[in-house]
């Protein structure tokens, strides 16, 4: 039962901080590298001997090099995670989402760090008509965010072939849970709906609410990330991380209504331009390769997130 020293980039963010909690609970040493652009110090435990925090930027290779020193593995989650931000500032977000990733790969090569877990996105598939979406689905990155995520996958594969990197690439579908920030209109829909419901504010549904997403509770995801970073022979292929189930916005709202004390004020408006109608992962690969299976019904995750808010 080997204890590792693991670099988690973006470890102060929504997903990263849950992973940090899990790794620390298993007595691994954790180094968080985060520039706190969207991440928060409050997301991290205030005093844990296993945790060190580097307030730094993955755009700078010397920062990355220092943070990675002595680490056995890297989970690379730091990114400008907002698609909208990438549309507004493609150059700025590219420096983080692609060049930052390359800085990490170079450091892994230099320091002989083999294990590298990467957060890619279902955005690489774009607006596909194929359902469920398997990894064999035609790639169609429609935004700078998606293009950088996909390019990151290709660079990682180069380091795998050339320098014997042992990467694990996950394409996350819609992740939700405590600590997801509801403050932007492009935040995860669940965090927005829950926050509005609790504040007794109107909830806007873009379209008829029959659009679906494949939602994954963050605790499910980080168990998978932990498994990927600690197992000896990881799978190299990109793997979808979804539950293989679709939930519509109207179903979400019905579930939220169940634990809300007042009637929700739901307002339907025009669909968002570029919005995907249905999304569902074919998760056969991650089930076969990692034994991934859904343990949290969406309603339980919703309830926990509701209680956290
Ligand atoms: P998040 O914004 O909470 O986390 C990103 C973290 O990276 C933040 O803590 C932020 O401060 C940090 N960061 C940003 N730029 C940085 C820089 N230049 N240097 C150092 N740190 C930097 O978002 P999240 O939802 O936790 O996303 C984590 C990862 O998962 C991202 O790579 C994101 O693209 C990916 N992802 C998320 C989802 C989702 O549904 N949440 C879906 C697909 C992919
Ligand atoms: C997700 C990602 C996005 C990008 C995209 C690629 C998140 C938060 N967003 O967008 O970054 O990768 O996938 O396909 O993970 N909605 C409402 N009311 C609201 C907010 C949202 O009706 O107040 C709708 C929205 O129009 C969409 C659905 O809810 O139909 C889900 O929206 P989202 O922003 O949570 O996620 P998504 O899948 O559009």
């Amino acid at each position: 039962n080997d204890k590792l020293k693991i670099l988690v980039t973006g470890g102060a963010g929504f997903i990263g901080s849950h992973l940090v909690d899990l790794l620390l609970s298993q007595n691994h040493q954790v180094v968080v590298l985060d520039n706190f652009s969207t991440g928060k110090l409050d997301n991290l435990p205030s005093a844990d001997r296993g945790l060190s925090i580097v307030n730094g930027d993955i755009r700078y290779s010397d920062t990355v090099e220092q943070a990675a020193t002595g680490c056995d593995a890297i989970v690379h989650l730091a990114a400008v995670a907002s698609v909208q931000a990438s549309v507004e500032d493609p150059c700025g977000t590219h420096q983080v989402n692609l060049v930052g990733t390359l800085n990490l790969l170079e450091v892994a090569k230099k320091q002989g760090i083999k294990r590298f877990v990467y957060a890619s996105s279902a955005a690489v598939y774009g607006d596909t008509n194929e359902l469920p979406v398997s990894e064999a689905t035609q790639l169609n990155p429609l935004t700078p965010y998606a293009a950088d995520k996909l390019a990151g996958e290709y660079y990682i594969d180069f380091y795998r072939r050339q320098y014997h990197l042992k990467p694990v690439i996950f394409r996350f579908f819609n992740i939700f849970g405590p600590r997801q920030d509801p403050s932007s209109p492009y935040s995860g829909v669940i965090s927005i709906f829950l926050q509005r419901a609790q504040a007794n504010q109107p909830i806007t549904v873009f379209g008829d609410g029959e659009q679906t997403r494949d939602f994954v509770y963050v605790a499910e995801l980080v168990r998978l990330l932990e498994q990927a970073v600690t197992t000896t022979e990881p799978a190299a292929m990109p793997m979808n991380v979804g539950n293989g189930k679709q939930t519509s916005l109207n179903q979400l709202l019905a579930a939220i209504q169940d634990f809300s004390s007042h009637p929700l004020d739901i307002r339907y408006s025009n669909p968002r331009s570029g919005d995907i109608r249905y999304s569902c992962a074919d998760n056969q690969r991650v089930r076969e390769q990692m034994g991934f299976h859904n343990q949290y019904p969406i309603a339980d995750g919703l309830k926990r997130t509701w209680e956290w808010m």
Side-chain angles (χ1 to χ4, degrees):
N1 195 2
D2 269 351
K3 297 306 167 197
L4 303 173
K5 186 171 175 185
I6 300 167
L7 175 65
V8 181
T9 72
F14 158 50
I15 295 169
S17 63
H18 286 278
L19 176 65
V20 170
D21 287 343
L22 179 60
L23 293 173
L24 290 174
S25 77
Q26 301 187 337
N27 298 317
H28 295 294
Q29 296 239 93
V30 177
V31 179
V32 165
L33 172 58
D34 202 297
N35 70 350
F36 298 94
S37 51
T38 57
K40 297 186 187 79
L41 200 56
D42 279 353
N43 286 341
L44 293 168
S46 54
D48 191 303
R49 294 192 329 173
L51 173 64
S52 46
I53 299 169
V54 180
N55 184 345
D57 197 310
I58 60 166
R59 288 176 295 178
Y60 306 118
S61 54
D62 48 346
T63 304
V64 176
E65 199 156 339
Q66 280 169 25
T69 301
C71 289
D72 305 297
I74 297 171
V75 184
H76 177 37
L77 302 172
V80 176
S82 158
V83 172
Q84 190 57 27
S86 84
V87 171
E88 283 159 20
D89 179 16
C91 292
T93 54
H94 178 80
Q95 289 303 318
V96 179
N97 291 357
L98 189 77
V99 178
T101 299
L102 261 175
N103 283 337
L104 279 144
L105 288 167
E106 274 295 286
V107 163
K109 176 183 91 179
K110 271 196 211 157
Q111 299 190 9
I113 303 170
K114 296 289 178 220
R115 182 60 42 81
F116 192 99
V117 179
Y118 178 64
S120 186
S121 168
V124 300
Y125 300 114
D127 194 359
T128 171
N129 288 321
E130 218 170 294
L131 279 180
V133 182
S134 85
E135 293 85 353
T137 301
Q138 174 73 52
L139 296 168
N140 188 19
L142 294 171
T143 58
Y145 172 84
D148 279 335
K149 285 289 181 189
L150 185 56
E153 293 189 12
Y154 291 147
Y155 277 101
I156 287 167
D157 201 57
F158 168 74
Y159 282 76
R160 179 184 67 79
R161 285 178 279 110
Q162 195 81 5
Y163 305 115
H164 310 291
L165 188 77
K166 296 190 173 212
V168 183
I169 296 172
F170 291 118
R171 293 173 177 163
F172 303 165
F173 279 64
N174 292 61
I175 315 300
F176 76 100
R179 301 180 192 155
Q180 189 167 32
D181 180 7
S183 64
S184 134
Y186 296 97
S187 300
V189 65
I190 290 180
S191 67
I192 296 175
F193 281 7
L194 290 177
Q195 192 227 20
R196 294 281 166 102
Q198 289 199 354
N200 212 346
Q201 286 171 345
I203 290 174
T204 307
V205 175
F206 300 119
D208 62 3
E210 287 305 304
Q211 66 264 51
T212 63
R213 294 294 183 270
D214 187 336
F215 294 102
V216 177
Y217 188 56
V218 66
E220 283 292 299
L221 171 67
V222 301
R223 287 197 306 136
L224 190 66
L225 296 175
E226 182 271 339
Q227 191 187 335
V229 77
T230 55
T231 48
T232 31
E233 277 309 316
M237 314 279 278
M239 286 176 275
N240 288 341
V241 184
N243 281 315
K245 294 191 196 95
Q246 302 180 61
T247 306
S248 72
L249 298 191
N250 289 330
Q251 287 173 321
L252 276 183
L253 290 166
I256 296 170
Q257 183 65 81
D258 276 349
F259 40 78
S260 178
S261 53
H262 46 78
L264 301 179
D265 176 3
I266 301 169
R267 302 180 186 184
Y268 291 86
S269 79
N270 292 332
R272 230 181 218 176
S273 84
D275 218 5
I276 290 172
R277 182 82 176 148
Y278 303 116
S279 173
C280 183
D282 177 333
N283 64 1
Q284 186 186 352
R285 185 179 281 173
V286 74
R287 280 190 282 116
E288 282 177 6
Q289 302 275 331
M290 311 280 306
F292 180 74
H293 57 274
N294 176 22
Q295 298 224 312
Y296 279 91
I298 296 300
D300 291 7
L302 269 178
K303 190 77 204 290
R304 282 168 186 251
T305 312
W306 171 266
E307 282 158 1
W308 167 81
M309 287 212 118

